[in-house]
């Protein structure tokens, strides 16, 4: 969840434009749109072609292509063509642009933020009738994850590559510092441990170790706000400039600039794996890579509390596009059924580190083996029942993530007081709320 600024916040910077492009492309006005160009191998030429756009490169991208290949080999009627489109945000922007050209894939992978923007403009297919007619049921998914893609008792977005933040720590370093082999129960406890942590020396040049690297994401900060009993918003009522949200921002400003115990890292995962920082809050989806890249024992723990527990869900899911033809939509749902099978959902989790999306996946031999071999991953799954969806203003308001992220940059990098920063952010978010309030009330 920590791409560069340009990639991560591309959609936030263009959110209003994306919404404008998508408007009018739903089932009522765009049914039967053409598919994007591609190439179907000769042996599959008589099958129903289904195009899916996806956002993963490297390990998850390769794992996804293996799932697609397995589906194509498991039956004789459908050929799924997976087309990589860049990040979540780039995929969503390309989709909106393609709709203007009256072309679209049949399936698309959306993030927790981007699916909402397309749903609000009637471009996603409601899935209730498909579930009713088939063997796959919404109840087979992890409850809180399927609920996030449900609006007005209709499913629009099914969980697939879901993740949450989790607390990582360097077990070897904690042992050398005489600290318990566990994560801190509160942020205040981590602060108390910081003297022992920073007394350690790392690297050939013996640089001073830092207790914590601040990940500069508005997704991670959502959990921090809850940990101080605050919110970005309550419903569509913006509250980022009050109470716990301000306290959380000010605590992190002091941690960086007054206490010198944290810093804005360009690549927090790399710094952690190189032993330059002792602790890190990062996505559960990074667990496989961090474990592989770290020459020390990695520990994980629930996110620290302060006055409350707080952990947001994130990551991606799958939606069928309303503008596809009836035949393509039905074929697309067959692929959704395939990846939801216990063995396939478990395989995806084992190969990528994303959370299991279905209940049955957790009971498979592959998943039980993963839990036994990697207790850190089980910790991520055990934390899942305590998580919740992000506050609505970040998920629904165009440019909300950009506005929050920009505010955090001013606090973390420029040492500006959180109260003044979030006052300006709050004013911007309230304007955004008014631009979409009627649409949200209609759809959500």
């Amino acid at each position: 969840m920590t791409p560069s600024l340009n990639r991560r916040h591309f959609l936030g910077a263009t959110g209003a434009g994306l919404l404008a492009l998508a408007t009018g492309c739903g089932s009522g006005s765009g049914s039967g749109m053409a598919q994007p160009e591609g190439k179907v191998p000769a042996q599959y030429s008589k099958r129903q072609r289904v195009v899916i756009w996806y956002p993963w490169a490297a390990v998850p991208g390769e794992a996804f292509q293996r799932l697609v290949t397995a589906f194509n080999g498991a039956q004789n009627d459908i050929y799924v063509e997976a087309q990589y489109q860049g990040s979540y945000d780039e995929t969503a922007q390309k989709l909106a642009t393609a709709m203007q050209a009256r072309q679209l894939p049949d399936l698309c992978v959306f993030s927790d933020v981007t699916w909402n923007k397309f749903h609000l403009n009637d471009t996603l297919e409601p899935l209730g009738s498909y579930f009713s007619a088939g063997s796959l049921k919404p109840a087979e998914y992890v409850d809180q994850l399927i609920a996030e893609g449900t609006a007005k008792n209709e499913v629009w977005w099914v969980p697939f590559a879901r993740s949450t933040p989790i607390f990582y720590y360097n077990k070897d370093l904690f042992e050398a510092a005489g600290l318990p082999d566990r994560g801190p129960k509160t942020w205040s406890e981590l602060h108390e441990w910081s003297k022992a942590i920073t007394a350690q020396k790392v690297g050939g040049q013996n640089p001073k170790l830092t207790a914590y690297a601040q990940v500069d994401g508005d997704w991670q900060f959502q959990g921090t706000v809850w940990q101080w009993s605050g919110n970005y918003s309550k419903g569509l009522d913006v509250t980022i400039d009050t109470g716990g949200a301000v306290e959380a921002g000010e605590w992190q400003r002091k941690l960086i600039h007054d206490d010198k115990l944290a810093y804005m890292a360009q690549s927090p995962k790399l710094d952690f794996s190189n032993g330059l920082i002792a602790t890190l809050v990062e996505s559960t989806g990074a667990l496989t890579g961090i474990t592989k890249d770290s020459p020390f024992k990695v520990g994980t723990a629930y996110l620290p509390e302060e006055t409350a527990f707080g952990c947001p869900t994130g990551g991606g899911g799958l939606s069928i596009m309303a503008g596809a033809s009836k035949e393509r939509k039905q074929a697309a749902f067959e692929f959704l059924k395939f990846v939801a099978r216990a063995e396939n959902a478990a395989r995806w989790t084992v190969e990528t580190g994303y959370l299991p999306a279905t209940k049955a996946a957790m009971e498979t031999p592959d998943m039980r083996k993963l839990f036994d071999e990697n207790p850190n991953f089980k910790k991520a799954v055990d934390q899942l029942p305590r998580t919740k969806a992000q506050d609505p203003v970040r998920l629904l308001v165009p440019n909300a993530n950009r506005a929050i992220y920009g505010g955090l940059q001013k606090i973390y990098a420029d040492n500006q007081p959180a109260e003044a920063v979030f006052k300006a952010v709050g004013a911007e978010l309230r304007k955004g709320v008014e631009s979409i309030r009627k649409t949200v009330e209609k759809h959500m």
Side-chain angles (χ1 to χ4, degrees):
M1 301 292 293
T2 54
S4 66
L5 172 61
N6 287 340
R7 288 172 63 87
R8 174 171 172 74
H9 296 277
F10 180 71
L11 180 64
T14 59
L18 186 152
L19 285 171
L21 283 170
T23 299
C25 296
S27 58
S29 60
S31 182
M33 285 190 182
Q35 291 174 314
E37 293 184 359
K39 185 175 182 180
V40 178
Q43 66 267 35
Y44 301 123
S45 60
K46 295 182 179 181
R47 297 188 182 189
Q48 173 63 60
R49 177 177 180 247
V50 169
V51 176
I52 181 169
W53 282 7
Y54 71 98
W56 307 291
V59 172
E62 294 167 1
F64 186 67
Q65 284 285 1
R66 285 193 292 271
L67 267 179
V68 170
T69 298
F71 174 78
N72 289 335
Q75 42 74 49
N76 299 312
D77 301 316
I78 303 165
Y79 174 71
V80 169
E81 181 179 335
Q83 299 180 350
Y84 173 68
Q85 299 298 320
S87 69
Y88 283 120
D89 295 348
E90 290 166 341
T91 299
Q93 183 64 29
K94 288 178 181 179
L95 179 62
T97 302
M99 286 180 171
Q100 292 298 98
R102 301 198 63 76
Q103 287 187 341
L104 84 168
D106 310 295
L107 278 163
C108 191
V109 178
F110 293 105
S111 74
D112 50 349
V113 173
T114 58
W115 86 265
N116 282 289
K117 293 176 170 59
F118 285 90
H119 168 57
L120 291 179
N121 284 279
D122 300 317
T123 58
L124 304 185
E125 178 78 356
L127 301 178
S129 61
Y130 299 87
F131 283 118
S132 297
S135 56
L136 178 64
K137 304 299 181 185
E140 296 178 41
Y141 291 95
V142 175
D143 293 340
Q144 64 267 48
L145 299 183
I146 191 68
E148 290 180 33
T150 303
K152 292 195 172 181
N153 298 315
E154 182 63 87
V155 178
W156 306 89
W157 179 69
V158 297
F160 181 65
R162 300 306 307 275
S163 60
T164 67
I166 200 167
F167 187 86
Y168 294 82
Y169 66 99
N170 183 326
K171 291 169 73 75
D172 293 355
L173 190 146
F174 269 43
E175 182 179 4
L179 296 173
D181 184 11
R182 63 172 176 82
K185 295 179 180 178
T186 65
W187 288 105
S188 293
E189 186 173 48
L190 178 62
H191 196 280
E192 293 169 2
W193 291 354
S194 61
K195 185 175 181 180
I197 291 173
T198 56
Q200 307 303 306
K201 299 294 181 181
V202 294
Q205 301 300 316
N206 286 332
K208 182 179 179 181
L209 181 75
T210 302
Y212 181 70
Q214 182 58 54
V215 178
D216 60 350
D218 45 281
W219 178 58
Q220 287 91 341
F221 188 67
Q222 170 73 93
T224 308
V225 166
W226 290 337
Q227 291 150 18
W228 263 262
S229 298
N231 294 90
Y232 285 161
S233 69
K234 293 182 178 180
L236 290 178
D237 294 331
V238 175
T239 56
I240 193 172
D241 49 359
T242 62
V246 173
E247 292 173 11
E250 190 61 15
W251 190 88
Q252 292 196 338
R253 185 196 65 77
K254 291 179 179 178
L255 191 73
I256 296 170
H257 295 285
D258 297 351
D259 302 333
K260 311 297 183 183
L261 296 175
Y263 65 97
M264 284 288 295
Q266 183 175 1
S267 181
K269 289 183 289 187
L270 181 62
D271 287 1
F272 179 79
S273 294
N274 286 337
L276 300 178
I277 53 177
T279 68
L280 177 69
V281 171
E282 247 295 354
S283 170
T284 52
L287 179 56
T288 300
I290 287 176
T291 302
K292 179 181 177 181
D293 295 341
S294 300
F296 49 82
K297 293 179 181 178
V298 175
T300 61
Y302 293 172
L303 294 185
E305 302 181 21
E306 194 57 26
T307 61
F309 178 80
C311 181
T313 53
L318 297 161
S319 293
I320 296 175
M321 303 307 298
S325 69
K326 179 180 178 181
E327 294 77 15
R328 286 155 48 192
K329 287 186 283 193
Q330 186 61 58
F333 191 75
E334 291 301 312
F335 181 71
L336 293 190
K337 289 166 59 178
F338 179 82
V339 298
R341 290 179 188 171
E343 66 275 16
N344 294 329
R347 175 185 173 187
W348 168 255
T349 291
V350 169
E351 292 184 0
T352 64
Y354 282 109
L355 293 168
T358 66
K359 299 168 185 174
M362 297 189 191
E363 306 301 325
T364 61
D366 285 348
M367 193 65 65
R368 289 196 295 268
K369 181 181 178 182
L370 177 63
F371 289 162
D372 290 341
E373 295 178 348
N374 192 344
N376 283 337
F377 190 81
K378 189 172 188 304
K379 181 69 69 173
V381 173
D382 288 345
Q383 182 182 247
L384 183 57
R386 303 184 67 189
T387 64
K388 61 181 180 179
Q390 299 161 57
D391 292 333
V393 70
R394 182 179 183 272
L395 296 177
L396 299 174
V397 173
N399 300 322
N401 57 344
R402 180 179 65 85
I404 298 168
Y405 178 83
L408 292 174
Q409 285 281 299
K410 293 176 182 178
I411 294 170
Y412 298 160
D414 300 337
N415 197 20
Q416 294 187 24
E419 183 175 10
V421 168
F422 286 156
K423 182 179 180 180
V425 171
E428 183 175 348
L429 293 179
R430 289 184 182 95
K431 291 180 181 178
V433 166
E434 293 313 308
S435 71
I436 52 91
R437 185 182 294 276
K438 291 183 179 179
T439 303
V440 169
E441 290 173 349
K442 173 184 175 183
H443 288 79
M444 309 299 287

